[in-house]
Amino acid sequence: MIPNETALLIIDIMNPFDFEHGNILARHTRKIVEPINTLRHYCTKHQHPVIYINDHYELWKADYKEIYQKCHNDVSDSIMTPLQPTDKDFFLIKPKHSAFYGTALNTLLHHLSVKNLIITGIAGNICVLFTANDAYMREFNLIVPNNAIASVSDEDNHYALTMMKNVLKAKINSTDEIV
């Protein structure tokens, strides 16, 4: 059961995967679509905030519909379409790796009285890890579903989960154990 004062973060799920190793990351990301959707539906049902934080892809607009259009293609469709934000979700853009850097995330979380974060998304060893680090530094309690983050390599993903558990004191469980 997810404790009160918890928000779900979905990081960089809107992505065109049009870069070196993009097809590999897309393949790994397809495996986390269902677990993220399970968390998203649970959080929505139980009135936990769902917050998408995404790269802006040079649009510099916090408009998830425009970013969706820019990133949507044959590779990204099976990932982005089922995880598309709704008008009830929060949506922020970020300029760098951490969801906290240069964004209103910290202010939003305090406004929503959030103390616990479930962190999901891609890439586990970059943006998810950097976000978890910044969240830990801000004294949020961390929950990271091991089946709801993806990286280009399984080794990098495992390393990120190990760091989040051992250094950032994150609870690492499967989505089924969390909900």
Side-chain angles (χ1 to χ4, degrees), residues 147-176:
N147 61 339
I149 70 166
S151 303
V152 169
S153 79
D154 291 336
E155 295 81 16
D156 286 347
N157 214 53
H158 178 74
Y159 174 79
L161 287 165
T162 300
M163 291 295 293
M164 288 184 272
K165 179 181 179 184
N166 294 343
V167 177
L168 308 179
K169 313 299 184 231
K171 292 180 184 173
I172 309 293
N173 299 97
S174 72
T175 299
D176 291 339

PDB file of all heavy atoms in Angstrom, residues 147-176:
ATOM      1  N   ASN A 147      10.873  -2.656 -11.544  1.00  0.00           N
ATOM      2  CA  ASN A 147      10.354  -3.026 -12.853  1.00  0.00           C
ATOM      3  C   ASN A 147       9.693  -1.842 -13.560  1.00  0.00           C
ATOM      4  O   ASN A 147       8.932  -2.025 -14.504  1.00  0.00           O
ATOM      5  CB  ASN A 147       9.371  -4.189 -12.736  1.00  0.00           C
ATOM      6  CG  ASN A 147       8.159  -3.864 -11.879  1.00  0.00           C
ATOM      7  OD1 ASN A 147       8.179  -2.949 -11.065  1.00  0.00           O
ATOM      8  ND2 ASN A 147       7.106  -4.638 -12.045  1.00  0.00           N
ATOM      9  N   ALA A 148      10.011  -0.618 -13.107  1.00  0.00           N
ATOM     10  CA  ALA A 148       9.420   0.584 -13.715  1.00  0.00           C
ATOM     11  C   ALA A 148      10.460   1.637 -14.065  1.00  0.00           C
ATOM     12  O   ALA A 148      10.152   2.813 -14.213  1.00  0.00           O
ATOM     13  CB  ALA A 148       8.350   1.164 -12.801  1.00  0.00           C
ATOM     14  N   ILE A 149      11.724   1.217 -14.165  1.00  0.00           N
ATOM     15  CA  ILE A 149      12.780   2.087 -14.712  1.00  0.00           C
ATOM     16  C   ILE A 149      13.538   1.272 -15.753  1.00  0.00           C
ATOM     17  O   ILE A 149      13.633   0.051 -15.652  1.00  0.00           O
ATOM     18  CB  ILE A 149      13.741   2.661 -13.646  1.00  0.00           C
ATOM     19  CG1 ILE A 149      14.653   1.586 -13.057  1.00  0.00           C
ATOM     20  CG2 ILE A 149      12.977   3.388 -12.561  1.00  0.00           C
ATOM     21  CD1 ILE A 149      15.822   2.156 -12.266  1.00  0.00           C
ATOM     22  N   ALA A 150      14.057   1.962 -16.757  1.00  0.00           N
ATOM     23  CA  ALA A 150      14.802   1.277 -17.820  1.00  0.00           C
ATOM     24  C   ALA A 150      16.014   2.106 -18.210  1.00  0.00           C
ATOM     25  O   ALA A 150      15.967   3.336 -18.192  1.00  0.00           O
ATOM     26  CB  ALA A 150      13.907   1.051 -19.034  1.00  0.00           C
ATOM     27  N   SER A 151      17.071   1.402 -18.558  1.00  0.00           N
ATOM     28  CA  SER A 151      18.301   2.012 -19.061  1.00  0.00           C
ATOM     29  C   SER A 151      18.700   1.283 -20.345  1.00  0.00           C
ATOM     30  O   SER A 151      18.122   0.251 -20.674  1.00  0.00           O
ATOM     31  CB  SER A 151      19.429   1.878 -18.028  1.00  0.00           C
ATOM     32  OG  SER A 151      19.064   2.453 -16.788  1.00  0.00           O
ATOM     33  N   VAL A 152      19.709   1.797 -21.027  1.00  0.00           N
ATOM     34  CA  VAL A 152      20.170   1.142 -22.247  1.00  0.00           C
ATOM     35  C   VAL A 152      20.687  -0.258 -21.926  1.00  0.00           C
ATOM     36  O   VAL A 152      20.376  -1.216 -22.611  1.00  0.00           O
ATOM     37  CB  VAL A 152      21.238   1.983 -22.979  1.00  0.00           C
ATOM     38  CG1 VAL A 152      21.894   1.187 -24.093  1.00  0.00           C
ATOM     39  CG2 VAL A 152      20.611   3.258 -23.528  1.00  0.00           C
ATOM     40  N   SER A 153      21.468  -0.395 -20.856  1.00  0.00           N
ATOM     41  CA  SER A 153      21.993  -1.718 -20.506  1.00  0.00           C
ATOM     42  C   SER A 153      21.416  -2.178 -19.170  1.00  0.00           C
ATOM     43  O   SER A 153      21.157  -1.372 -18.269  1.00  0.00           O
ATOM     44  CB  SER A 153      23.521  -1.722 -20.453  1.00  0.00           C
ATOM     45  OG  SER A 153      23.987  -1.176 -19.242  1.00  0.00           O
ATOM     46  N   ASP A 154      21.235  -3.482 -19.056  1.00  0.00           N
ATOM     47  CA  ASP A 154      20.752  -4.063 -17.796  1.00  0.00           C
ATOM     48  C   ASP A 154      21.742  -3.808 -16.670  1.00  0.00           C
ATOM     49  O   ASP A 154      21.331  -3.591 -15.523  1.00  0.00           O
ATOM     50  CB  ASP A 154      20.525  -5.571 -17.957  1.00  0.00           C
ATOM     51  CG  ASP A 154      19.350  -5.890 -18.867  1.00  0.00           C
ATOM     52  OD1 ASP A 154      18.446  -5.033 -19.022  1.00  0.00           O
ATOM     53  OD2 ASP A 154      19.340  -7.004 -19.434  1.00  0.00           O
ATOM     54  N   GLU A 155      23.038  -3.821 -16.987  1.00  0.00           N
ATOM     55  CA  GLU A 155      24.059  -3.576 -15.968  1.00  0.00           C
ATOM     56  C   GLU A 155      23.939  -2.162 -15.401  1.00  0.00           C
ATOM     57  O   GLU A 155      24.018  -1.962 -14.189  1.00  0.00           O
ATOM     58  CB  GLU A 155      25.475  -3.781 -16.541  1.00  0.00           C
ATOM     59  CG  GLU A 155      25.776  -5.195 -16.971  1.00  0.00           C
ATOM     60  CD  GLU A 155      25.230  -5.536 -18.362  1.00  0.00           C
ATOM     61  OE1 GLU A 155      24.873  -4.625 -19.150  1.00  0.00           O
ATOM     62  OE2 GLU A 155      25.129  -6.744 -18.647  1.00  0.00           O
ATOM     63  N   ASP A 156      23.737  -1.189 -16.278  1.00  0.00           N
ATOM     64  CA  ASP A 156      23.571   0.192 -15.825  1.00  0.00           C
ATOM     65  C   ASP A 156      22.312   0.344 -14.978  1.00  0.00           C
ATOM     66  O   ASP A 156      22.304   1.063 -13.980  1.00  0.00           O
ATOM     67  CB  ASP A 156      23.507   1.160 -17.009  1.00  0.00           C
ATOM     68  CG  ASP A 156      24.864   1.374 -17.659  1.00  0.00           C
ATOM     69  OD1 ASP A 156      25.893   0.989 -17.080  1.00  0.00           O
ATOM     70  OD2 ASP A 156      24.884   1.933 -18.784  1.00  0.00           O
ATOM     71  N   ASN A 157      21.256  -0.325 -15.372  1.00  0.00           N
ATOM     72  CA  ASN A 157      20.009  -0.253 -14.619  1.00  0.00           C
ATOM     73  C   ASN A 157      20.191  -0.859 -13.229  1.00  0.00           C
ATOM     74  O   ASN A 157      19.751  -0.290 -12.224  1.00  0.00           O
ATOM     75  CB  ASN A 157      18.889  -0.968 -15.377  1.00  0.00           C
ATOM     76  CG  ASN A 157      17.554  -0.323 -15.170  1.00  0.00           C
ATOM     77  OD1 ASN A 157      17.393   0.876 -15.375  1.00  0.00           O
ATOM     78  ND2 ASN A 157      16.583  -1.114 -14.773  1.00  0.00           N
ATOM     79  N   HIS A 158      20.848  -2.012 -13.168  1.00  0.00           N
ATOM     80  CA  HIS A 158      21.114  -2.673 -11.883  1.00  0.00           C
ATOM     81  C   HIS A 158      21.999  -1.780 -10.998  1.00  0.00           C
ATOM     82  O   HIS A 158      21.744  -1.646  -9.796  1.00  0.00           O
ATOM     83  CB  HIS A 158      21.777  -4.037 -12.107  1.00  0.00           C
ATOM     84  CG  HIS A 158      22.109  -4.739 -10.839  1.00  0.00           C
ATOM     85  ND1 HIS A 158      21.160  -5.332 -10.031  1.00  0.00           N
ATOM     86  CD2 HIS A 158      23.296  -4.931 -10.226  1.00  0.00           C
ATOM     87  CE1 HIS A 158      21.748  -5.851  -8.977  1.00  0.00           C
ATOM     88  NE2 HIS A 158      23.043  -5.627  -9.069  1.00  0.00           N
ATOM     89  N   TYR A 159      23.022  -1.182 -11.582  1.00  0.00           N
ATOM     90  CA  TYR A 159      23.897  -0.286 -10.835  1.00  0.00           C
ATOM     91  C   TYR A 159      23.103   0.887 -10.252  1.00  0.00           C
ATOM     92  O   TYR A 159      23.268   1.249  -9.080  1.00  0.00           O
ATOM     93  CB  TYR A 159      25.025   0.244 -11.740  1.00  0.00           C
ATOM     94  CG  TYR A 159      25.873   1.296 -11.071  1.00  0.00           C
ATOM     95  CD1 TYR A 159      26.857   0.936 -10.154  1.00  0.00           C
ATOM     96  CD2 TYR A 159      25.677   2.645 -11.341  1.00  0.00           C
ATOM     97  CE1 TYR A 159      27.636   1.897  -9.523  1.00  0.00           C
ATOM     98  CE2 TYR A 159      26.448   3.611 -10.713  1.00  0.00           C
ATOM     99  CZ  TYR A 159      27.417   3.236  -9.807  1.00  0.00           C
ATOM    100  OH  TYR A 159      28.166   4.188  -9.176  1.00  0.00           O
ATOM    101  N   ALA A 160      22.230   1.485 -11.047  1.00  0.00           N
ATOM    102  CA  ALA A 160      21.422   2.615 -10.577  1.00  0.00           C
ATOM    103  C   ALA A 160      20.531   2.189  -9.420  1.00  0.00           C
ATOM    104  O   ALA A 160      20.425   2.909  -8.413  1.00  0.00           O
ATOM    105  CB  ALA A 160      20.584   3.181 -11.722  1.00  0.00           C
ATOM    106  N   LEU A 161      19.892   1.036  -9.533  1.00  0.00           N
ATOM    107  CA  LEU A 161      19.041   0.540  -8.447  1.00  0.00           C
ATOM    108  C   LEU A 161      19.853   0.288  -7.178  1.00  0.00           C
ATOM    109  O   LEU A 161      19.420   0.617  -6.072  1.00  0.00           O
ATOM    110  CB  LEU A 161      18.309  -0.733  -8.880  1.00  0.00           C
ATOM    111  CG  LEU A 161      17.181  -0.529  -9.879  1.00  0.00           C
ATOM    112  CD1 LEU A 161      16.777  -1.855 -10.517  1.00  0.00           C
ATOM    113  CD2 LEU A 161      15.988   0.147  -9.220  1.00  0.00           C
ATOM    114  N   THR A 162      21.051  -0.273  -7.350  1.00  0.00           N
ATOM    115  CA  THR A 162      21.933  -0.522  -6.203  1.00  0.00           C
ATOM    116  C   THR A 162      22.326   0.791  -5.532  1.00  0.00           C
ATOM    117  O   THR A 162      22.284   0.901  -4.293  1.00  0.00           O
ATOM    118  CB  THR A 162      23.186  -1.300  -6.645  1.00  0.00           C
ATOM    119  OG1 THR A 162      22.772  -2.547  -7.215  1.00  0.00           O
ATOM    120  CG2 THR A 162      24.128  -1.546  -5.479  1.00  0.00           C
ATOM    121  N   MET A 163      22.691   1.784  -6.319  1.00  0.00           N
ATOM    122  CA  MET A 163      23.057   3.095  -5.758  1.00  0.00           C
ATOM    123  C   MET A 163      21.870   3.724  -5.020  1.00  0.00           C
ATOM    124  O   MET A 163      22.021   4.270  -3.923  1.00  0.00           O
ATOM    125  CB  MET A 163      23.535   4.045  -6.862  1.00  0.00           C
ATOM    126  CG  MET A 163      24.862   3.657  -7.471  1.00  0.00           C
ATOM    127  SD  MET A 163      26.215   3.765  -6.283  1.00  0.00           S
ATOM    128  CE  MET A 163      26.268   5.525  -6.026  1.00  0.00           C
ATOM    129  N   MET A 164      20.686   3.668  -5.628  1.00  0.00           N
ATOM    130  CA  MET A 164      19.515   4.269  -4.995  1.00  0.00           C
ATOM    131  C   MET A 164      19.186   3.564  -3.677  1.00  0.00           C
ATOM    132  O   MET A 164      18.808   4.214  -2.702  1.00  0.00           O
ATOM    133  CB  MET A 164      18.330   4.280  -5.955  1.00  0.00           C
ATOM    134  CG  MET A 164      18.506   5.308  -7.070  1.00  0.00           C
ATOM    135  SD  MET A 164      17.095   5.449  -8.180  1.00  0.00           S
ATOM    136  CE  MET A 164      17.467   4.206  -9.389  1.00  0.00           C
ATOM    137  N   LYS A 165      19.361   2.261  -3.644  1.00  0.00           N
ATOM    138  CA  LYS A 165      19.086   1.508  -2.412  1.00  0.00           C
ATOM    139  C   LYS A 165      20.149   1.771  -1.347  1.00  0.00           C
ATOM    140  O   LYS A 165      19.831   2.114  -0.210  1.00  0.00           O
ATOM    141  CB  LYS A 165      19.014   0.009  -2.722  1.00  0.00           C
ATOM    142  CG  LYS A 165      18.763  -0.835  -1.491  1.00  0.00           C
ATOM    143  CD  LYS A 165      18.733  -2.308  -1.824  1.00  0.00           C
ATOM    144  CE  LYS A 165      18.507  -3.116  -0.563  1.00  0.00           C
ATOM    145  NZ  LYS A 165      18.578  -4.553  -0.834  1.00  0.00           N
ATOM    146  N   ASN A 166      21.400   1.620  -1.708  1.00  0.00           N
ATOM    147  CA  ASN A 166      22.481   1.677  -0.719  1.00  0.00           C
ATOM    148  C   ASN A 166      22.869   3.087  -0.298  1.00  0.00           C
ATOM    149  O   ASN A 166      23.224   3.306   0.859  1.00  0.00           O
ATOM    150  CB  ASN A 166      23.716   0.950  -1.242  1.00  0.00           C
ATOM    151  CG  ASN A 166      23.483  -0.536  -1.391  1.00  0.00           C
ATOM    152  OD1 ASN A 166      22.547  -1.100  -0.830  1.00  0.00           O
ATOM    153  ND2 ASN A 166      24.327  -1.192  -2.175  1.00  0.00           N
ATOM    154  N   VAL A 167      22.817   4.028  -1.208  1.00  0.00           N
ATOM    155  CA  VAL A 167      23.273   5.383  -0.912  1.00  0.00           C
ATOM    156  C   VAL A 167      22.107   6.312  -0.594  1.00  0.00           C
ATOM    157  O   VAL A 167      22.189   7.116   0.337  1.00  0.00           O
ATOM    158  CB  VAL A 167      24.114   5.948  -2.083  1.00  0.00           C
ATOM    159  CG1 VAL A 167      24.543   7.381  -1.817  1.00  0.00           C
ATOM    160  CG2 VAL A 167      25.326   5.064  -2.359  1.00  0.00           C
ATOM    161  N   LEU A 168      21.016   6.184  -1.358  1.00  0.00           N
ATOM    162  CA  LEU A 168      19.898   7.115  -1.213  1.00  0.00           C
ATOM    163  C   LEU A 168      18.771   6.553  -0.346  1.00  0.00           C
ATOM    164  O   LEU A 168      17.737   7.194  -0.195  1.00  0.00           O
ATOM    165  CB  LEU A 168      19.360   7.508  -2.598  1.00  0.00           C
ATOM    166  CG  LEU A 168      20.410   8.026  -3.586  1.00  0.00           C
ATOM    167  CD1 LEU A 168      19.756   8.351  -4.920  1.00  0.00           C
ATOM    168  CD2 LEU A 168      21.145   9.232  -3.019  1.00  0.00           C
ATOM    169  N   LYS A 169      18.988   5.357   0.205  1.00  0.00           N
ATOM    170  CA  LYS A 169      18.028   4.725   1.128  1.00  0.00           C
ATOM    171  C   LYS A 169      16.653   4.494   0.508  1.00  0.00           C
ATOM    172  O   LYS A 169      15.630   4.494   1.192  1.00  0.00           O
ATOM    173  CB  LYS A 169      17.876   5.537   2.423  1.00  0.00           C
ATOM    174  CG  LYS A 169      19.167   5.979   3.075  1.00  0.00           C
ATOM    175  CD  LYS A 169      20.028   4.806   3.486  1.00  0.00           C
ATOM    176  CE  LYS A 169      21.260   5.294   4.225  1.00  0.00           C
ATOM    177  NZ  LYS A 169      22.493   4.758   3.723  1.00  0.00           N
ATOM    178  N   ALA A 170      16.610   4.312  -0.811  1.00  0.00           N
ATOM    179  CA  ALA A 170      15.347   4.064  -1.504  1.00  0.00           C
ATOM    180  C   ALA A 170      14.850   2.654  -1.201  1.00  0.00           C
ATOM    181  O   ALA A 170      15.639   1.716  -1.065  1.00  0.00           O
ATOM    182  CB  ALA A 170      15.530   4.241  -3.002  1.00  0.00           C
ATOM    183  N   LYS A 171      13.537   2.533  -1.105  1.00  0.00           N
ATOM    184  CA  LYS A 171      12.905   1.224  -1.035  1.00  0.00           C
ATOM    185  C   LYS A 171      12.782   0.726  -2.468  1.00  0.00           C
ATOM    186  O   LYS A 171      12.160   1.378  -3.301  1.00  0.00           O
ATOM    187  CB  LYS A 171      11.535   1.310  -0.378  1.00  0.00           C
ATOM    188  CG  LYS A 171      11.598   1.656   1.082  1.00  0.00           C
ATOM    189  CD  LYS A 171      10.199   1.729   1.668  1.00  0.00           C
ATOM    190  CE  LYS A 171      10.300   2.178   3.117  1.00  0.00           C
ATOM    191  NZ  LYS A 171       8.972   2.434   3.697  1.00  0.00           N
ATOM    192  N   ILE A 172      13.381  -0.419  -2.737  1.00  0.00           N
ATOM    193  CA  ILE A 172      13.363  -0.984  -4.076  1.00  0.00           C
ATOM    194  C   ILE A 172      12.471  -2.225  -4.029  1.00  0.00           C
ATOM    195  O   ILE A 172      12.787  -3.190  -3.341  1.00  0.00           O
ATOM    196  CB  ILE A 172      14.775  -1.380  -4.549  1.00  0.00           C
ATOM    197  CG1 ILE A 172      15.780  -0.222  -4.374  1.00  0.00           C
ATOM    198  CG2 ILE A 172      14.739  -1.916  -5.977  1.00  0.00           C
ATOM    199  CD1 ILE A 172      15.545   0.968  -5.257  1.00  0.00           C
ATOM    200  N   ASN A 173      11.346  -2.146  -4.717  1.00  0.00           N
ATOM    201  CA  ASN A 173      10.384  -3.252  -4.770  1.00  0.00           C
ATOM    202  C   ASN A 173       9.801  -3.315  -6.174  1.00  0.00           C
ATOM    203  O   ASN A 173       9.946  -2.387  -6.945  1.00  0.00           O
ATOM    204  CB  ASN A 173       9.235  -3.024  -3.782  1.00  0.00           C
ATOM    205  CG  ASN A 173       9.698  -2.934  -2.349  1.00  0.00           C
ATOM    206  OD1 ASN A 173       9.874  -1.857  -1.828  1.00  0.00           O
ATOM    207  ND2 ASN A 173       9.909  -4.072  -1.721  1.00  0.00           N
ATOM    208  N   SER A 174       9.092  -4.389  -6.439  1.00  0.00           N
ATOM    209  CA  SER A 174       8.356  -4.447  -7.704  1.00  0.00           C
ATOM    210  C   SER A 174       7.068  -3.659  -7.565  1.00  0.00           C
ATOM    211  O   SER A 174       6.608  -3.372  -6.444  1.00  0.00           O
ATOM    212  CB  SER A 174       8.033  -5.905  -8.071  1.00  0.00           C
ATOM    213  OG  SER A 174       7.021  -6.397  -7.217  1.00  0.00           O
ATOM    214  N   THR A 175       6.481  -3.311  -8.674  1.00  0.00           N
ATOM    215  CA  THR A 175       5.215  -2.584  -8.671  1.00  0.00           C
ATOM    216  C   THR A 175       4.153  -3.347  -7.888  1.00  0.00           C
ATOM    217  O   THR A 175       3.407  -2.748  -7.108  1.00  0.00           O
ATOM    218  CB  THR A 175       4.753  -2.344 -10.115  1.00  0.00           C
ATOM    219  OG1 THR A 175       5.746  -1.563 -10.776  1.00  0.00           O
ATOM    220  CG2 THR A 175       3.431  -1.628 -10.163  1.00  0.00           C
ATOM    221  N   ASP A 176       4.088  -4.659  -8.073  1.00  0.00           N
ATOM    222  CA  ASP A 176       3.099  -5.460  -7.363  1.00  0.00           C
ATOM    223  C   ASP A 176       3.275  -5.371  -5.852  1.00  0.00           C
ATOM    224  O   ASP A 176       2.278  -5.332  -5.111  1.00  0.00           O
ATOM    225  CB  ASP A 176       3.173  -6.931  -7.792  1.00  0.00           C
ATOM    226  CG  ASP A 176       2.717  -7.145  -9.224  1.00  0.00           C
ATOM    227  OD1 ASP A 176       1.985  -6.271  -9.752  1.00  0.00           O
ATOM    228  OD2 ASP A 176       3.093  -8.166  -9.816  1.00  0.00           O
TER     229      ASP A 176
END
